[in-house]
Amino acid sequence: MHTTATDVLVVGAGPVGLATAIVLKQRGHDVTVVDSQAEGTNTSRAAVVHSHTLEILEPYGVTADLVARGVHTPSFAIRDRDDLLIAVPFGDLPTRYPYTLMISQADTESFLLSRLESLGGKVSRPATVTEIVQDDEGVDATFADGQRIRARYLVGADGMHSTVRDQADIAFSGGTYEESFVLADVRVSGGVPADEVILYFSPAGLVVLAPLPDGLYRIVATVDHAPQHPDVAFVQRLLDGRGPARQPAVVEEVVWGSRFRVHHRIADSFRAHRVLLAGDAAHVHSPAGGQGMNLGIEDGITAGESLSRVLSGEPEQLLDEYATARHQTAESVVALAGRLTALATASARRRPIRNAVMRLAGKIPAVRRNLAWRLSGLDRR
C-alpha cells in the first residue's frame, strides 16, 4: 500500500481549506490538499466577504481579485417591510475596504484555488478520508481507495459533517433551528437597491436581499419547509409577504436555488493533538449577519500561520493558543448570529416593541458604529 508524506494534510478544499493551504505554501511548507467532492460540485452558498477578511487575505495575494469582481455594498439595513429599523454604515470604518463585498462562493473559491496553483499547490479530488490515526510524530490518513498519507499535522476543513472531527473524537455541541433555510440567486426588478444588503424582519421569518455581480440578487430566508429547488412563484411569495411593500420586488428568474437546515454548534475543542479543526467542521450557525465563511477563512489563515511557526521550530503551545482563541471567537459570533435570528423572527405580539426599541437604538451613532464594527469583523483584528 502506497504512503506519501507531507508537512500538513488539509482535508477539504472549500474557502477555508484553500486559505489554510495558501498560507502554508506561501511560507515554504509542503502541503497536500484533498477533497471528497468531484470538480465543480460545490454550490454558491456563502456570498458575503467582510472587511476584516479582505484585510487578512491581502498578504496572500487574493484580495485584489475579489475586490475587482464583487459588488461593494457600503451599508447594511434592517427593515420591517418599508420601515427602516437600523441602518449600519460601513463607509466610515477605518479600513481600505469600507463595505461588505458581495460575491458568490464559487468565485471566491476560484480565486483562492488559482492563487494556490500559482504557488505550486493543487487539490487531489475526489479523495475521501476514511480513517485517521495519530501518534507522537504525526498523523496517518487512510483513503477510500486504500491510499495513505502521512502528515506531521492535519487540518480538518471538511465541513459540518466532518470525518476528521469524528475520527478525532471531538464532540459537536449545540442544536438545530426548527426552520429550514432557502437560498436563491435571482434576477429581480422593482424596489431593490443595488448598493445595500437588507435584512427584512417578519413574523413569518427573516429574508435577506443582497446584490451580487452580473445583476443578480441573493435571497436567504427562513421557512418551515423549504422546497429543494425554489421556483419563481415560491421566491415571489417570500418577497411579497416579507419584503418591500410600497415598491414591491418582482422576481424575473431564479438562476440557482437550494435549501439547508441550520445548526448552531461549536466543536468542544478545535485541537486534538496533531489535528486542528477550522470552518464549518469547528462551528456552524445562522446565516444572519453573513459571518460563517468569513469566520472560517479567519480560522484557516490563523491555523496556517500557527502551523507554519510550529513547523519552523516554535513551540507546539501555539496550536493550543489557536484552538482556545478561535473557540472564544466562534462562541461570540454564534451568539451574535443567534440574537439576530431571534430578533428577526419575533412573534407578531412582540414585533411593535422590538421595532420601537430598534428604531430608537438606530438613532444612536455609537450603536450603529458598534454594529458595523462587529459585522465587518474589524473587532477581531
Side-chain angles (χ1 to χ4, degrees):
M1 193 177 294
H2 183 59
T3 301
T4 55
T6 188
D7 285 338
V8 180
L9 172 61
V10 178
V11 181
V16 179
L18 292 171
T20 310
I22 287 166
V23 171
L24 288 159
K25 198 76 184 160
Q26 186 166 308
R27 290 172 173 229
H29 305 288
D30 186 33
V31 187
T32 301
V33 187
V34 299
D35 196 283
S36 61
Q37 291 187 312
E39 200 83 53
T41 54
N42 283 350
T43 56
S44 176
R45 282 199 171 180
V48 179
V49 181
H50 288 301
S51 311
H52 181 51
T53 310
L54 293 170
E55 288 184 348
I56 60 175
L57 282 170
E58 205 176 54
Y60 300 105
V62 183
T63 298
D65 287 333
L66 290 169
V67 166
R69 171 67 178 146
V71 175
H72 302 196
T73 54
S75 81
F76 170 71
I78 299 176
R79 295 178 179 273
D80 185 337
R81 304 305 302 256
D82 297 315
D83 188 5
L84 177 64
L85 303 180
I86 292 186
V88 182
F90 296 118
D92 295 332
L93 289 171
T95 173
R96 279 187 295 279
Y97 313 105
Y99 46 79
T100 294
L101 188 79
M102 296 302 302
I103 182 170
S104 86
Q105 184 174 326
D107 283 341
T108 300
E109 285 186 16
S110 174
F111 290 130
L112 287 164
L113 179 60
S114 175
R115 177 58 183 152
L116 179 63
E117 289 172 346
S118 76
L119 292 166
K122 67 181 178 66
V123 177
S124 298
R125 59 166 84 228
T128 303
V129 175
T130 55
E131 187 182 35
I132 290 164
V133 178
Q134 302 191 57
D135 56 39
D136 288 344
E137 275 76 49
V139 189
D140 288 307
T142 304
F143 291 80
D145 63 0
Q147 293 290 314
R148 277 193 184 154
I149 294 178
R150 171 77 173 171
R152 290 173 67 185
Y153 296 95
L154 185 151
V155 177
D158 52 339
M160 187 180 77
H161 304 291
S162 170
T163 300
V164 172
R165 189 186 61 240
D166 289 346
Q167 286 284 309
D169 203 24
I170 298 172
F172 202 33
S173 300
T176 307
Y177 287 105
E178 288 178 19
E179 311 95 337
S180 53
F181 281 73
V182 66
L183 280 183
D185 291 348
V186 302
R187 295 193 190 281
V188 288
S189 57
V192 285
D195 60 351
E196 185 175 67
V197 176
I198 305 173
L199 170 57
Y200 288 100
F201 283 0
S202 146
L206 65 84
V207 65
V208 177
L209 184 62
L212 283 175
D214 305 325
L216 294 175
Y217 282 79
R218 164 61 58 86
I219 308 277
V220 184
T222 50
V223 289
D224 288 337
H225 304 289
Q228 191 165 355
H229 301 291
D231 59 11
V232 169
F234 182 84
V235 178
Q236 187 66 62
R237 280 197 302 275
L238 282 176
L239 291 177
D240 287 348
R242 309 180 188 185
R246 272 195 301 272
Q247 195 183 355
V250 179
V251 182
E252 313 282 356
E253 179 190 3
V254 175
V255 176
W256 172 83
S258 185
R259 67 177 174 191
F260 61 105
R261 301 287 297 185
V262 172
H263 304 255
H264 44 97
R265 297 179 185 275
I266 302 177
D268 285 6
S269 173
F270 287 21
R271 181 188 182 200
H273 194 34
R274 288 180 172 265
V275 171
L276 299 183
L277 298 181
D280 285 358
H283 46 75
V284 290
H285 53 81
S286 160
Q291 299 294 316
M293 183 180 72
N294 292 273
L295 189 60
I297 289 173
E298 225 173 273
D299 291 343
I301 288 174
T302 311
E305 290 173 348
S306 301
L307 283 166
S308 175
R309 291 172 63 187
V310 171
L311 289 165
S312 301
E314 294 189 50
E316 269 203 353
Q317 181 191 340
L318 287 167
L319 304 183
D320 287 330
E321 290 171 8
Y322 161 83
T324 302
R326 297 314 300 164
H327 194 283
Q328 287 171 349
T329 300
E331 284 182 321
S332 167
V333 170
V334 170
L336 174 65
R339 281 197 296 275
L340 278 173
T341 303
L343 276 172
T345 53
S347 67
R349 185 171 54 83
R350 292 182 176 172
R351 189 178 176 191
I353 301 163
R354 178 206 63 194
N355 288 5
V357 170
M358 289 189 72
R359 261 195 303 274
L360 204 60
K363 291 182 174 139
I364 304 169
V367 170
R368 296 198 304 273
R369 198 162 48 243
N370 182 51
L371 255 178
W373 197 250
R374 289 198 68 183
L375 289 171
S376 67
L378 294 177
D379 65 322
R380 303 195 294 274
R381 269 179 173 162

